[in-house]
Amino acid sequence: MRMPARFDESLSLATTIESASPTGSVIIPAHNEEASIGHCLSSLLKSARPGEFEIVVICNGCSDGTANVARSFGNSVRVIELEVGSKILALNLGNKAARFYPRLYLDADLEISTGAARMLMSAAADPSCFAAIGVMETDATQAPWLLRQYYAVWTRQSYLRNGKFGGAYALSEAGCRHVGILPPVINDDEYVRRRIPADRLRVLAECSFKAQMPCTLRDLMAVRTRVHRGNRQLRQLERASGQEMPVRKQQGSMRGLARTAWRRPDLWAGLVTYVTVNVVAKLRARAPGVRWGRDESSRRARSTGPA
């Protein structure tokens, strides 16, 4: 079924000429991100040359001022409005609307510098590369002590220390073709990660982006439940299609965390919280009819409009 979308095509002739040869496209799906999209775009464009990136913001199912904030950046940003709230539909529509490769896929609540975006796109421009990722920096300054302990343990996982596939990643033209049209899954980042062969992935340790961490236990639980539900959905998709998608789990991560906590008594509270949250989230993920969960607490902590 085709979903109605509205394109903001008010580009001046001068800007069209300036934008004739962008280094790539940036695709940003955004659902009610009025409080975050300004920070995201300000960071991305801070030192960008005119027309360096083609930026496409796909506002999906928004009931706030997300589109207006994105449009306030002028001809630097193209806005598409989709009536249905669906990240997958937004990503697929963004792929159809984007005109250049490589492509940087960026969550609207993250902040990535111009230089980091350049590095990801440069790596993904290599013909032998399908995908390029960086390292996630976490900001938990707004979180209470117990959650900061949780994040102190969570960020020690090798999965995060060795690069974060999700939130901000670049795909080459070959990588986009290999991944294809995204199916209706919850955990889109993990789906893409499993589609990328290990020898076609580039991890840039010097490239980072910043993520605001959930500030309440309720919001953290909602996010973790969505992750576990998404992983269950991917396993079901794999069984239904008969196509195996390699998980590439980090072996021994829990044992490593336990050893770290044993050497660091100050992390014991974080380890207990980490295990408890994930056990409960896995149980909640099995329940039918649970709605999409996301972190609203960090969004509430931000001011609206461009940073």
Side-chain angles (χ1 to χ4, degrees):
M1 181 176 66
R2 294 185 62 185
M3 299 301 176
R6 186 167 71 256
F7 290 75
D8 184 5
E9 299 287 6
S10 57
L11 296 178
S12 67
L13 177 60
T15 303
T16 302
I17 293 173
E18 276 186 337
S19 304
S21 299
T23 58
S25 295
V26 182
I27 297 174
I28 307 177
H31 170 72
N32 286 343
E33 295 287 2
E34 181 179 5
S36 302
I37 189 66
H39 296 270
C40 177
L41 292 172
S42 291
S43 181
L44 174 64
L45 290 168
K46 186 174 182 179
S47 58
R49 298 181 296 274
E52 180 174 1
F53 306 125
E54 178 196 41
I55 301 175
V56 184
V57 176
I58 308 94
C59 302
N60 59 101
C62 292
S63 57
D64 64 357
T66 301
N68 291 334
V69 175
R71 287 194 182 97
S72 72
F73 286 81
N75 292 329
S76 299
V77 177
R78 183 154 55 115
V79 177
I80 299 173
E81 291 191 70
L82 178 65
E83 292 182 5
V84 177
S86 168
K87 186 180 179 183
I88 290 295
L89 285 177
L91 288 169
N92 286 330
L93 183 58
N95 265 326
K96 290 180 66 176
R99 295 169 292 176
F100 304 97
Y101 296 97
R103 292 179 178 174
L104 172 62
Y105 299 85
L106 180 62
D107 285 355
D109 61 332
L110 301 180
E111 295 176 37
I112 188 169
S113 69
T114 308
R118 286 173 182 155
M119 283 191 282
L120 288 176
M121 286 193 170
S122 178
D126 184 336
S128 66
C129 175
F130 276 10
I133 62 174
V135 178
M136 185 175 71
E137 296 179 355
T138 59
D139 184 353
T141 54
Q142 300 284 342
W145 177 82
L146 188 61
L147 291 193
R148 292 200 303 272
Q149 293 298 300
Y150 171 96
Y151 299 129
V153 172
W154 180 63
T155 53
R156 281 171 167 76
Q157 292 185 92
S158 55
Y159 171 70
L160 295 174
R161 292 198 313 270
N162 300 332
K164 174 69 166 68
F165 202 122
Y169 60 90
L171 295 184
S172 64
E173 183 173 2
C176 288
R177 287 199 305 266
H178 184 77
V179 172
I181 298 174
L182 296 175
V185 295
I186 299 170
N187 199 342
D188 54 284
D189 293 338
E190 179 64 12
Y191 174 84
V192 175
R193 184 178 82 95
R194 296 186 187 189
R195 291 285 295 159
I196 301 297
D199 61 346
R200 296 298 185 97
L201 175 65
R202 302 290 181 269
V203 181
L204 309 181
E206 70 280 12
C207 175
S208 65
F209 59 93
K210 185 169 73 172
Q212 301 285 336
M213 294 292 98
C215 304
T216 69
L217 182 60
R218 178 178 181 177
D219 286 87
L220 172 61
M221 190 67 72
V223 171
R224 296 309 302 168
T225 300
R226 187 189 75 226
V227 170
H228 289 298
R229 189 182 305 118
N231 290 339
R232 284 172 56 86
Q233 186 185 49
L234 290 179
R235 289 193 293 270
Q236 293 168 355
L237 179 65
E238 180 181 298
R239 288 195 294 268
S241 65
Q243 296 180 350
E244 183 178 355
M245 293 185 290
V247 179
R248 298 203 302 269
K249 291 182 178 179
Q250 301 292 340
Q251 298 298 324
S253 59
M254 283 302 298
R255 290 194 297 272
L257 290 175
R259 287 194 296 269
T260 299
W262 183 254
R263 294 191 298 266
R264 295 275 306 276
D266 56 307
L267 293 177
W268 288 358
L271 180 63
V272 172
T273 307
Y274 176 87
V275 172
T276 302
V277 165
N278 281 282
V279 167
V280 174
K282 284 183 178 180
L283 294 174
R284 292 183 70 218
R286 298 176 182 176
V290 183
R291 69 187 186 94
W292 173 281
R294 75 169 189 171
D295 168 35
E296 299 290 353
S297 59
S298 64
R299 291 171 171 87
R300 288 192 297 268
R302 284 176 155 174
S303 60
T304 60

